[in-house]
Amino acid sequence: QEWQNPFATWDPQDFCNISEIVLPMDTYWSPPVFILERVNGQNPELNYMVLTHNGSFNSTRPFQVTLTCSLIILKFPFDTQMCNLSIASFLYPAVTDFVMKTRRTPAEMMKDSQGFFLTDGEWKFTNLSIIEYTEMMDDKGFSVVTYVISIERRPTLYILNLILPTCALYLLDMAVLFGPSSLEEKINFQIAIILGSSMLAVILNNSLPTSSNKPPIIGTH
């Protein structure tokens, strides 16, 4: 966060050429902002800010939070999700007292975010966009900045563990059904295929996300 305070300025030549100092967060006023989608997280222990001689404040505070995100898993496991991270303050009206702006462009933040996204897990970070708008509440407008985060699921694990075994069972079922085997052998094969399909259904049920209004296509066939 960066903001200006015209009442906190000084001439560095009058103070041994000191151009900036580090102060606790409660020394001066700081923007009271919070994350709208936050449901859990850890508050930062780095409660300090840097004040330069021209009255510019800079506060860098790392947050680790859990956010709510509405999932659309119709195309699971080939789905792409978009989650919002909205920063707002409902203490000061946006028109007269408090306006938030992003300093960097979405492309610059996208590049930095890809550097921080170090995991090679299930999700791949694909895009970041920024929306600045005014939220109306009780006939007052409040400044809100929303970061729209796009992530894409890596489907390799689900293809190997679910899709390929399921296709193999269906192909085996068709081969046995139209093959020259006797009726008894076909019945035995069918029982084995049903048991295998049941095991895959259990694995699929445990793997599929449940937080969606529409079930995934792979779970309805």
Side-chain angles (χ1 to χ4, degrees), residues 98 138 209:
F98 190 83
D138 296 333

Side-chain angles (χ1 to χ4, degrees), residues 176-187:
V176 172
L177 182 62
F178 298 102
S181 304
S182 63
L183 180 60
E184 183 178 356
E185 291 177 344
K186 290 183 179 181
I187 293 176

Side-chain angles (χ1 to χ4, degrees), residues 47-151:
N47 295 318
Y48 292 91
M49 55 187 177
V50 178
L51 170 61
T52 58
H53 65 91
N54 60 357
S56 176
F57 285 82
N58 185 296
S59 173
T60 302
R61 307 174 69 191
F63 280 87
Q64 182 179 359
V65 297
T66 301
L67 307 177
T68 60
C69 183
S70 179
L71 299 180
I72 302 176
I73 58 172
L74 184 64
K75 298 180 181 180
F76 174 88
F78 306 98
D79 54 326
T80 299
Q81 304 297 333
M82 299 179 64
C83 298
N84 293 342
L85 191 153
S86 301
I87 300 176
S89 176
F90 294 116
L91 296 180
Y92 304 100
V95 179
T96 57
D97 298 335
F98 190 83
V99 177
M100 289 190 296
K101 296 290 184 180
T102 56
R103 183 183 63 179
R104 291 177 292 178
T105 64
E108 293 173 341
M109 298 197 66
M110 174 72 180
K111 183 178 179 180
D112 293 341
S113 299
Q114 287 177 336
F116 290 120
F117 201 86
L118 301 178
T119 178
D120 283 332
E122 182 179 358
W123 296 97
K124 180 174 65 174
F125 180 68
T126 58
N127 191 31
L128 174 67
S129 59
I130 303 173
I131 303 174
E132 299 176 357
Y133 63 98
T134 300
E135 180 75 20
M136 299 303 298
M137 183 179 296
D138 296 333
D139 296 330
K140 295 181 179 180
F142 298 93
S143 181
V144 181
V145 177
T146 298
Y147 298 87
V148 183
I149 304 168
S150 299
I151 52 178

